[in-house]
Amino acid sequence: MSAAPTPTSSSLEPLIEFRGISKTYGQGQAAFLALSGIHLGIRQGEFLAIMGPSGSGKSTAMNILGCLDAPSEGEFLFQGVHVERLGRNQRALLRRHYLGFVFQGFNLLARTSAQENVELPLLYRGESALKRHTAAREALARVGLSGWERHTPAELSGGQQQRVAIARAIVTQPLVLLADEPTGNLDSHRSHEIMELLVQLNREQGITVLMVTHEPDMASYASRIVHFVDGEIASDTEQEVRTCS
Amino acid sequence: MFINAILLALREIRRNLMRSFLTILGIVIGVAAVITMVTLGNGATRMVGEQIASLGSNLLILRPGQRMGPAAFGAPNFRLADAEAIRAQVSALKAVAPMVSSGAPLVAGNNNWSSTVTGATNDYFVAGNWKIAAGRTFSEDEQHAGRAVCVIGATIQSKLFGHQNPVGAELRVKNFSCRIVGLLTSKGQGAMGMDQDDVVVMPLRTAQRRLTGNPQDVSVILLSMRDDAAPEQIMPQIRKLMRERRKIADNDDDNFNLMDTRQIAEILSGTIGTITTLLGAVAAVSLLVGGIGIMNIMLVSVTERTREIGIRLAIGALEHEVLLQFLIEAVALSAFGGIVGILFALVSCLGLSALMNMPFEFQPGINLISFAFSALIGVLFGYMPARRAARLDPIEALRHE
Ligand SMILES: Nc1ncnc2c1ncn2[C@@H]1O[C@H](COP(=O)(O)OP(=O)(O)O)[C@@H](O)[C@H]1O
Ligand SMILES: [Mg+2]
């Protein structure tokens, strides 16, 4: 099996860099420009919130940032590696080794215990059963779900499911955690719990967090807010980090 | 990697037990059908062979009429003198048994039964490979004078006499009474329900006088060859003799037929072999249909599990890992179906061969082939759904409801 492309970075360079990224959906008459020439640098350790109205290209940008999709134009550097030049499997290896995902719909495997869900990324990394077991237990403990290992998603509340998803995203100790509307399906109380968890991971483990949200309340946890409008960046502001309660 | 894929696949099968069971049903039925057909067919072939051997080794059957089968229509019967001529002119024969037969009601005490009564000389017992279990065969006097005596088979004894010794008892055949002088050793249940022990034998002359009413005609002549005899030499001799005696012109066909029982055995087992192949082929089609069932359910499962596949891809599963997982799922399912099918076949073969009085023999070959074939079906029909799963776009797949 081929190894993931090895990034060669110096700490001065941004961890992630968009250079004139455009994304066009469809072709000819039906072509739609979802992102037009985005420039964006993200440093290690940042907690970035992406905001903007519906259809402004937030998810499109996240998919490219998460190496799930390739841009139509422009350069996308991840630790100095030109991701736009990589193929499908190479991008999969980048995701496997450096990225963690949290989705709006939780996206856990149904009828599968929390433990097995969290072990999944380790399985693809080829870790031993023992390593998988302990790492998954640790990750679940970190999101406050000790004792819930044997429960399946159907037996967990929405907030707990999202915690399992976060445990799954961090079990590999990724460089970057990507979360597209992670609190979109949760009530306000649970949402704040999840945000505090993300802040904690960002601070204590130095995980770079990229999050899409349309709720200013959630965005206030971030250290930097980027506003998208019509596929372009309308504003990019750093802010005082909100302290956890 | 490979072990991981197996692990993932097995987990998935376990997670969906009901669906997995329905998926393999077609394979189970297909494999069970193929194995049952072939095993029973081979058992039948073997049984026919054994029974024809029990008819008598090196046995030739001379009958009026052109071909094998019951119809001797229009062709004249043989005469007793024909049998004498064969005995006199053809060497290398152990026994020449002219015989007649006729259906007749039998009564003994309060019991009655209906059977075929054969009139024959003592040579009949030699030619037919019969052993005497009790009593004796016919005496010279009984044969010569056409006395009312008979030898009966095991079925007649059990139907009419139960556990009593029938030797010395009187048996009423049609309208005359006959003394039982001997009991034949059982040959067992015959091929295709034909019971060889359902037989009453009386001296040829007795049967000719009292049953068929014609003192010269015989309907069949059984000829038993010596062990060192060559049928390809003896048969033309007999044929030539019969053509002469029956005054058949050179350009006319035989109006009798002479068959080697070995030939009959070959024809019969050939026929059974053809039927076995045919049934096996039909069963193999059902196995193929089972494979299509697997493909169908795997395709449904790919659609159903699109989100799951999306999650796996997003997490960093490579195309070939997803492909392998689905392929192994399909193969594991169909191989498991194969094993269950083999067990089913074992049960049904045991049951059916007991029901049909056939010997049962486990045949590893067909079991192995069926198992390998079911696994192969898993690969063939699992590949397409697996490839479809592997090629999904992770973003689309995640968005799938
Ligand atoms: N796969 C796609 N094919 C066609 N158009 C798409 C596709 N994905 C997104 N779009 C379009 O691109 C625009 C940006 O979408 P998206 O990035 O999902 O916006 P957001 O997440 O900000 O709501 C929308 O108008 C959407 O309709
Ligand atoms: Mg979106």
Side-chain angles (χ1 to χ4, degrees):
Chain A
M1 191 188 302
S2 52
T6 333
T8 53
S9 75
S10 79
S11 57
L12 293 175
E13 278 175 24
L15 177 67
I16 297 166
E17 197 179 354
F18 268 16
R19 292 182 188 157
I21 290 289
S22 296
K23 179 71 186 180
T24 313
Y25 288 115
Q27 286 176 338
Q29 289 279 309
F32 180 83
L33 190 64
L35 288 179
S36 54
I38 299 281
H39 289 272
L40 179 68
I42 301 164
R43 288 179 308 278
Q44 179 130 29
E46 276 193 293
F47 190 145
L48 182 84
I50 297 175
M51 298 193 70
S54 191
S56 58
K58 306 184 295 291
S59 292
T60 303
M62 275 299 261
N63 290 339
I64 296 172
L65 284 166
C67 303
L68 285 165
D69 204 359
S72 309
E73 257 175 66
E75 296 181 331
F76 167 32
L77 288 105
F78 180 82
Q79 291 194 309
V81 170
H82 279 273
V83 180
E84 81 278 0
R85 295 177 196 161
L86 301 179
R88 191 175 140 109
N89 276 332
Q90 295 259 289
R91 276 190 272 122
L93 288 171
L94 271 186
R95 294 197 294 277
R96 173 184 297 188
H97 290 280
Y98 302 107
L99 308 179
F101 292 89
V102 178
F103 309 96
Q104 176 176 359
F106 317 141
N107 280 331
L108 300 175
L109 297 190
R111 283 160 291 165
T112 305
S113 70
Q115 175 80 19
E116 280 181 42
N117 262 293
V118 177
E119 283 188 21
L120 195 63
L122 299 173
L123 204 61
Y124 284 113
R125 281 190 167 199
E127 304 286 6
S128 71
L130 183 69
K131 174 92 191 288
R132 288 201 303 269
H133 187 77
T134 47
R137 280 182 78 90
E138 270 171 35
L140 280 168
R142 209 173 310 142
V143 298
L145 283 179
S146 282
W148 295 86
E149 290 87 354
R150 304 249 61 86
H151 291 71
T152 62
E155 299 163 352
L156 297 168
S157 71
Q160 286 172 320
Q161 288 184 52
Q162 195 61 305
R163 284 160 184 270
V164 174
I166 292 173
R168 183 181 63 192
I170 61 170
V171 75
T172 57
Q173 303 186 303
L175 272 177
V176 183
L177 183 76
L178 298 106
D180 195 342
E181 307 206 36
T183 60
N185 284 3
L186 299 178
D187 62 38
S188 143
H189 178 66
R190 307 261 177 236
S191 299
H192 284 284
E193 278 179 10
I194 293 295
M195 290 316 299
E196 278 164 24
L197 183 59
L198 290 180
V199 168
Q200 204 184 332
L201 290 167
N202 172 249
R203 288 232 195 102
E204 291 172 8
Q205 312 216 248
I207 298 176
T208 307
V209 179
L210 310 182
M211 174 183 75
V212 168
T213 181
H214 52 252
E215 294 167 83
D217 216 18
M218 301 299 123
S220 66
Y221 284 94
S223 62
R224 178 180 170 195
I225 301 178
V226 174
H227 265 274
F228 275 59
V229 176
D230 291 338
E232 289 178 34
I233 293 178
S235 72
D236 183 348
T237 50
E238 307 225 6
Q239 64 180 12
E240 196 62 27
V241 185
R242 173 171 164 175
T243 45
C244 292
S245 48
Chain B
M1 225 310 292
F2 195 70
I3 291 171
N4 276 346
I6 290 175
L7 198 73
L8 287 169
L10 292 182
R11 253 186 212 174
E12 199 51 45
I13 291 171
R14 199 192 55 202
R15 203 171 289 143
N16 292 288
L17 268 185
M18 188 61 195
R19 187 179 63 194
S20 304
F21 172 73
L22 290 175
T23 310
I24 66 171
L25 206 57
I27 295 283
V28 170
I29 291 169
V31 166
V34 169
I35 296 176
T36 306
M37 292 301 154
V38 173
T39 306
L40 289 184
N42 289 349
T45 309
R46 222 160 46 97
M47 185 174 70
V48 166
E50 279 168 12
Q51 266 158 8
I52 286 186
S54 80
L55 273 181
S57 52
N58 298 332
L59 186 67
L60 301 179
I61 301 176
L62 181 60
R63 293 152 39 102
Q66 280 191 340
R67 60 192 83 222
M68 123 185 229
F73 189 73
N77 272 333
F78 295 106
R79 319 282 294 171
L80 205 48
D82 291 330
E84 296 311 323
I86 292 171
R87 200 198 304 278
Q89 294 180 37
V90 182
S91 54
L93 291 178
K94 205 157 56 177
V96 176
M99 55 181 270
V100 293
S101 56
S102 165
L106 308 174
V107 182
N110 292 326
N111 302 321
N112 54 69
W113 182 246
S114 182
S115 183
T116 305
V117 175
T118 298
T121 59
N122 275 341
D123 265 2
Y124 173 81
F125 302 112
V126 179
N129 224 9
W130 287 105
K131 302 272 178 301
I132 296 291
R136 56 174 175 84
T137 56
F138 308 125
S139 71
E140 270 307 313
D141 171 60
E142 283 163 351
Q143 296 198 65
H144 197 76
R147 307 250 182 246
V149 290
C150 62
V151 171
I152 62 169
T155 301
I156 306 292
Q157 121 140 79
S158 71
K159 293 290 176 193
L160 296 180
F161 298 96
H163 294 295
Q164 278 172 286
N165 181 7
V167 175
E170 291 291 321
L171 175 68
R172 199 165 173 78
V173 179
K174 214 162 160 185
N175 53 7
F176 65 99
S177 188
C178 204
R179 196 163 47 83
I180 298 171
V181 297
L183 173 66
L184 297 170
T185 302
S186 171
K187 280 188 180 185
Q189 184 78 32
M192 295 154 291
M194 166 185 105
D195 182 359
Q196 301 187 83
D197 294 327
D198 190 1
V199 61
V200 174
V201 187
M202 58 179 62
L204 179 62
R205 193 152 287 169
T206 316
Q208 283 175 326
R209 281 193 196 145
R210 305 213 184 199
L211 289 176
T212 62
N214 187 326
Q216 285 307 316
D217 279 14
V218 293
S219 53
V220 178
I221 302 176
L222 299 181
L223 304 160
S224 180
M225 293 178 288
R226 276 196 213 120
D227 290 341
D228 56 350
E232 42 303 331
Q233 278 170 12
I234 294 175
M235 289 174 74
Q237 272 182 51
I238 295 170
R239 191 167 284 133
K240 183 156 168 284
L241 181 63
M242 283 300 115
R243 283 182 70 91
E244 278 167 12
R245 291 187 61 86
R246 289 163 81 88
K247 303 197 172 56
I248 299 170
D250 281 352
N251 46 2
D252 278 352
D253 289 334
D254 292 352
N255 62 2
F256 60 91
N257 70 75
L258 179 62
M259 262 176 325
D260 188 348
T261 44
R262 244 174 307 181
Q263 218 180 316
I264 307 177
E266 274 161 28
I267 294 169
L268 265 179
S269 45
T271 309
I272 295 175
T274 311
I275 294 172
T276 304
T277 311
L278 218 89
L279 290 178
V282 170
V285 170
S286 75
L287 190 52
L288 212 65
V289 172
I292 294 170
I294 286 212
M295 174 159 75
N296 186 25
I297 296 193
M298 290 303 289
L299 279 174
V300 170
S301 134
V302 168
T303 313
E304 224 176 61
R305 289 157 64 191
T306 299
R307 250 161 102 89
E308 173 205 322
I309 296 162
I311 295 168
R312 294 183 187 279
L313 290 169
I315 280 174
L318 299 176
E319 251 179 66
H320 74 262
E321 288 169 330
V322 174
L323 183 104
L324 207 61
Q325 183 195 330
F326 274 75
L327 207 55
I328 288 173
E329 263 180 53
V331 174
L333 275 176
S334 53
F336 184 63
I339 290 173
V340 175
I342 285 173
L343 294 179
F344 266 54
L346 201 68
V347 172
S348 71
C349 283
L350 279 171
L352 286 173
S353 45
L355 208 70
M356 297 197 277
N357 267 307
M358 277 181 18
F360 169 72
E361 194 182 14
F362 180 75
Q363 288 162 349
I366 184 64
N367 283 279
L368 264 175
I369 290 173
S370 300
F371 176 73
F373 195 66
S374 61
L376 182 73
I377 274 179
V379 176
L380 287 179
F381 292 101
Y383 183 75
M384 212 249 274
R387 202 187 53 173
R388 177 172 294 184
R391 297 224 174 134
L392 283 177
D393 175 8
I395 303 164
E396 295 285 333
L398 280 171
R399 213 182 280 144
H400 187 90
E401 282 313 315

